[in-house]
Amino acid sequence: MKKIAVLFFAFLFSLALFPSFSEGFSLSVTPTFGRSQGVLNEILYHSRDTSKKISLLEWERNVWLYGADVSSSFRRFHADFSFSSAVQSCSGEMRDSDWLNTNDYSMKTTYSVGDIEAEGNIDLSLSLSFDALKTAVFSLSPVVSAQYEYDSFSRGKDAEGWYGQSDYSSDGKMHNWYDGEAKHFPTEYYWSDDKQKYVHQVLGGIDYNRHTFYSWFGLRASFLVGKFSLGFQFLVSPYTYFSAEDTHHGASSDSVYHLIQSGSFSYYKVSSDFSYEISRIFSVTLSTEMLFGETLKGDLYSDWYLNTLQPSGGDALAFTSKLGCRIRILN
């Protein structure tokens, strides 16, 4: 890291010493702070009818973000790098639903809900663009971009659940989760002959980690009026990849599941950005972004052994807004 920092500052110093070399080159850094709200879903489908869900876990991704954007340009060419990380905090809820009655797919037999913690969330992106059409107040640019996200969440043992499947119901039959026969967790305290004390049953914790990769291409339109600038961008992902690990903690052992999905032209991103130039060096910035798409289907691995009879699914939805202060280093 020290060598990289030395090389970076040496590069900036060389640009300052040789104006002719840096002519047409600009560089700015924008510290940012913002908020992202959305949901990450993981799905398991019935092995005999892949149009029916057997399990749905909805992880709310509501996090505060801090980071920085680095923007550079040389004449009509632009390269932008963005980094953001989440403040570790409560992220919202995780809702776990199961449809385990193979005779009636419409019956939701199990439902649980609990607060989750954001353990680690990172977003990295690199974008390249070229001003194909440029005037004094308007530019239109094709854009290519790559984006990587890592999300880690944990739901503790304070979750509440209702289990209506035959293994838990009071009459040994299948029931909706809200029926009176369904078993409620955590249970009331009761006497255990085995432990010789009063105990109650709670739901085990669940951990979730997901790696996401998006490739993007699309168009960006920019407007410049005096000290104000406004930009709009629409991108589509030619290739999207999800890789997730789900760990259900049990009383005696853990169950680990790996879910992998990928798809083409299934995700989209719409964004806008606004800036106001306070001085030649400083500008105030505001950006918004909406990411959405379809459920991607793929494989399920139990401890990395492929379960060919259990297809999986995953999707993502997010709205992000960030406020920043752009610092112009070179122009």
Side-chain angles (χ1 to χ4, degrees):
M1 290 295 293
K2 291 183 179 179
K3 290 183 179 180
I4 295 175
V6 170
L7 291 173
F8 177 72
F9 285 109
F11 173 68
L12 297 183
F13 182 67
S14 67
L15 292 177
L17 287 179
F18 301 101
S20 61
F21 176 75
S22 61
E23 184 179 353
F25 181 82
S26 66
L27 178 67
S28 65
V29 176
T30 308
T32 59
F33 183 77
R35 176 76 168 172
S36 182
Q37 293 185 278
V39 62
L40 304 179
N41 292 329
E42 55 172 319
I43 305 167
L44 297 181
Y45 295 96
H46 283 281
S47 58
R48 286 175 290 181
D49 187 349
T50 56
S51 67
K52 306 295 184 182
K53 293 189 293 285
I54 191 173
S55 178
L56 169 64
L57 277 69
E58 303 168 273
W59 298 87
E60 289 187 346
R61 187 184 186 272
N62 302 331
V63 292
W64 292 101
L65 300 169
Y66 66 93
D69 300 335
V70 179
S71 300
S72 64
S73 63
F74 181 70
R75 297 176 183 174
R76 293 193 175 194
F77 294 91
H78 306 272
D80 301 287
F81 174 76
S82 176
F83 164 80
S84 62
S85 180
V87 178
Q88 185 172 349
S89 63
C90 179
S91 172
E93 292 183 341
M94 191 279 270
R95 298 173 291 275
D96 187 356
S97 303
D98 292 333
W99 294 262
L100 301 178
N101 186 351
T102 56
N103 295 319
D104 183 2
Y105 289 131
S106 66
M107 178 184 288
K108 183 193 289 192
T109 58
T110 312
Y111 178 71
S112 65
V113 59
D115 292 335
I116 58 175
E117 293 288 330
E119 302 289 346
N121 307 80
I122 297 173
D123 190 340
L124 303 171
S125 67
L126 176 64
S127 299
L128 302 175
S129 61
F130 171 73
D131 295 336
L133 176 63
K134 186 175 178 65
T135 68
V137 296
F138 173 75
S139 64
L140 184 65
S141 312
V143 180
V144 294
S145 177
Q147 181 179 0
Y148 167 78
E149 290 183 348
Y150 171 73
D151 292 287
S152 177
F153 301 102
S154 177
R155 192 182 82 172
K157 295 182 179 181
D158 57 348
E160 186 177 20
W162 297 263
Y163 283 56
Q165 61 264 44
S166 57
D167 293 341
Y168 292 94
S169 65
S170 59
D171 62 0
K173 298 179 181 179
M174 287 289 187
H175 289 276
N176 291 294
W177 65 273
Y178 52 79
D179 289 343
E181 292 82 359
K183 187 172 184 177
H184 177 252
F185 291 91
T187 62
E188 299 290 338
Y189 278 92
Y190 64 93
W191 177 260
S192 172
D193 292 332
D194 294 335
K195 298 182 179 181
Q196 289 297 300
K197 64 178 182 180
Y198 284 96
V199 298
H200 73 143
Q201 294 176 300
V202 298
L203 295 177
I206 305 176
D207 297 332
Y208 183 63
N209 303 287
R210 182 154 100 171
H211 302 271
T212 303
F213 171 79
Y214 300 100
S215 61
W216 299 106
F217 84 93
L219 287 175
R220 172 180 171 81
S222 301
F223 302 86
L224 178 63
V225 181
K227 295 184 177 182
F228 295 90
S229 66
L230 182 64
F232 299 96
Q233 190 168 253
F234 175 78
L235 302 176
V236 61
S237 178
Y239 179 72
T240 302
Y241 176 82
F242 298 147
S243 175
E245 180 180 272
D246 179 311
T247 302
H248 281 62
H249 299 287
S252 57
S253 63
D254 297 340
S255 298
V256 182
Y257 304 97
H258 302 272
L259 303 88
I260 296 177
Q261 303 95 24
S262 62
S264 300
F265 298 97
S266 302
Y267 272 80
Y268 308 91
K269 185 161 62 172
V270 180
S271 62
S272 64
D273 55 86
F274 166 85
S275 70
Y276 174 73
E277 186 179 277
I278 300 174
S279 68
R280 192 185 70 83
I281 297 177
F282 298 103
S283 299
V284 177
T285 67
L286 175 65
S287 64
T288 61
E289 174 185 292
M290 183 72 176
L291 185 150
F292 58 97
E294 305 172 1
T295 298
L296 304 182
K297 292 188 177 182
D299 298 318
L300 172 70
Y301 296 79
S302 300
D303 295 320
W304 288 115
Y305 290 97
L306 177 62
N307 186 342
T308 58
L309 300 178
Q310 190 69 73
S312 68
D315 58 51
L317 174 67
F319 177 79
T320 303
S321 59
K322 294 191 294 185
L323 183 67
C325 177
R326 180 183 297 130
I327 304 169
R328 192 187 304 274
I329 298 175
L330 291 171
N331 190 13

